[in-house]
């Protein structure tokens, strides 16, 4: 059976790419759109009380397969995740991002002036479209097409500035609150930390820990663990910072935290067993 997290199909409607693989009353190629709020929660059902499976950041692209009753059924362009977003979190405008946010968090201002009350906040990984760059009283800003502005030093064109390896990026998110389904610097879960950090380092990773454990990189022996390797438990993943220390978003501290590998194995094993696999991306 196809994974419903990555394949959009229901008895009444399915993604056109699944023609011949699933049965549905009709198929659609969908329409492009992008996220226009800071962080949008993607849900398995069109219900505001349903838990979020993952999040999409400002500027992320999706394919909209259906709009109904204030909800949009979408497939995320970056990782293929399928779910429901409130329809008003999306724009049909054909936006081509030019930059993304490289600081863990930054503010949006209504104009190029940091002394004006901010009108929003963006997470690392958010995509923006810049119209021009200005300097006001010694501070440089990037202006968006609607006139809003962000601090220029908090942004870069993808690949413009080296951000370090993905472990260094993950370490900048230390103390970020834990959030089930979270994938932003405002709240993040274990596999979201892996995916977001790797994305900012120019590497691709699937969204959930079971997907990552199944095929991200190559399997290695626990004796060979080093910086950048991943340790998986059932339903959890952690990033090795060095041979003895890991970084992970976890429910024990309810934050992104450092922890000794041996201590983590002992603590987690008490409830959930030993690691099931180690991988090198």
């Amino acid at each position: 059976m196809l994974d419903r997290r990555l394949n959009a199909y229901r008895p009444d409607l399915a993604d056109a790419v699944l023609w011949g693989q699933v049965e549905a009353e009709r198929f659609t190629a969908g329409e492009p759109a992008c996220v226009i709020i800071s962080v949008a929660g993607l849900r398995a059902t069109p219900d505001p009380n349903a838990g979020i499976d993952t999040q999409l950041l400002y500027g992320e692209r999706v394919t909209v397969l259906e709009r109904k009753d204030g909800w949009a059924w979408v497939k995320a362009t970056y990782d293929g995740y399928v779910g429901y977003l409130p329809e008003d979190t999306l724009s049909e405008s054909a936006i081509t991002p030019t930059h993304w946010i490289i600081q863990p968090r930054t503010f949006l201002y209504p104009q190029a002036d940091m002394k004006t009350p901010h009108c929003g906040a963006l997470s690392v990984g958010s995509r923006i479209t810049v119209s021009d760059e200005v300097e006001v009283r010694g501070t440089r800003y990037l202006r968006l097409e609607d006139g809003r502005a962000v601090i220029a030093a908090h942004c870069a064109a993808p690949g413009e500035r080296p951000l370090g390896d993905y472990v260094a990026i993950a370490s900048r998110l230390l103390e970020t609150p834990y959030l089930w389904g979270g994938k932003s610097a405002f709240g993040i879960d274990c596999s979201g930390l892996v995916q977001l950090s790797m994305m900012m380092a120019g590497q691709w990773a699937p969204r959930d820990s079971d997907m990552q454990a199944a095929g991200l990189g190559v399997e290695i022996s626990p004796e060979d663990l080093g910086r950048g390797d991943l340790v998986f438990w059932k339903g959890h993943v952690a990033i090795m910072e060095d041979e003895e220390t890991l970084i992970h978003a976890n429910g024990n501290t309810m934050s992104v935290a450092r922890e000794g590998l041996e201590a983590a194995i002992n603590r987690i094993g008490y409830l959930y067993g030993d690691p099931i696999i180690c991988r090198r991306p």
Side-chain angles (χ1 to χ4, degrees):
M1 180 178 293
L2 296 177
D3 190 334
R4 288 185 178 271
R5 294 172 296 178
L6 301 176
N7 297 277
Y9 65 100
R10 306 182 319 217
D12 64 320
L13 181 65
D15 189 340
V17 301
L18 299 178
W19 175 266
Q21 301 181 62
V22 300
E23 294 185 1
E25 294 176 7
R26 61 189 180 94
F27 291 80
T28 179
E31 299 177 346
C34 71
V35 175
I36 56 172
I37 65 170
S38 177
V39 183
L42 193 70
R43 293 169 165 82
T45 59
D47 179 354
N49 295 315
I52 62 171
D53 286 339
T54 186
Q55 293 177 321
L56 301 182
L57 302 177
Y58 185 94
E60 279 205 63
R61 295 178 176 180
V62 301
T63 297
V64 178
L65 303 166
E66 179 188 60
R67 295 177 183 266
K68 184 178 180 181
D69 299 328
W71 290 87
W73 190 36
V74 308
K75 184 178 180 71
T77 300
Y78 181 73
D79 59 16
Y81 220 102
V82 174
Y84 293 86
L85 296 173
E87 192 174 3
D88 60 5
T89 64
L90 298 173
S91 169
E92 295 179 357
S93 300
I95 297 175
T96 302
T98 59
H99 294 69
W100 61 6
I101 305 303
I102 59 173
Q103 290 294 319
R105 293 160 292 276
T106 195
F107 292 112
L108 269 172
Y109 298 94
Q111 62 191 65
D113 186 349
M114 65 181 177
K115 294 185 178 180
T116 59
H118 73 275
C119 57
L122 298 177
S123 166
V124 60
S126 299
R127 288 84 159 165
I128 60 173
T129 302
V130 173
S131 61
D132 64 353
E133 182 172 350
V134 296
E135 183 172 330
V136 178
R137 294 190 295 274
T139 300
R140 298 199 67 80
Y141 300 85
L142 299 182
R143 280 197 298 214
L144 283 59
E145 294 175 328
D146 61 6
R148 291 180 299 169
V150 294
I151 301 298
H154 292 180
C155 312
E160 180 180 76
R161 305 181 200 173
L163 302 179
D165 68 0
Y166 91 93
V167 183
I169 296 168
S171 71
R172 297 178 67 191
L173 294 170
L174 286 165
E175 305 299 333
T176 299
Y178 180 87
L179 177 67
W180 179 270
K183 197 191 72 174
S184 83
F186 303 113
I188 202 163
D189 66 16
C190 63
S191 54
L193 177 66
V194 172
Q195 188 189 54
L196 180 60
S197 301
M198 290 186 69
M199 180 183 75
M200 298 306 298
Q203 299 172 258
W204 187 87
R207 175 58 180 92
D208 292 341
S209 62
D210 65 324
M211 301 174 186
Q212 296 168 359
L216 181 57
V218 296
E219 183 176 357
I220 62 171
S221 167
E223 289 74 27
D224 294 331
L225 282 169
R227 182 178 177 87
D229 295 331
L230 298 170
V231 181
F232 293 90
W233 288 260
K234 185 177 181 180
H236 186 62
V237 59
I239 302 166
M240 295 301 299
E241 186 174 33
D242 55 38
E243 291 82 359
E244 299 179 350
T245 309
L246 51 77
I247 298 173
H248 58 160
N250 68 92
N252 182 52
T253 63
M254 289 303 293
S255 66
V256 177
R258 285 190 176 94
E259 187 172 5
L261 173 61
E262 184 176 354
I265 290 174
N266 291 336
R267 178 181 59 77
I268 296 172
Y270 176 72
L271 294 174
Y272 302 109
D274 291 335
I276 57 173
I277 194 170
C278 302
R279 300 192 74 90
R280 178 163 294 162

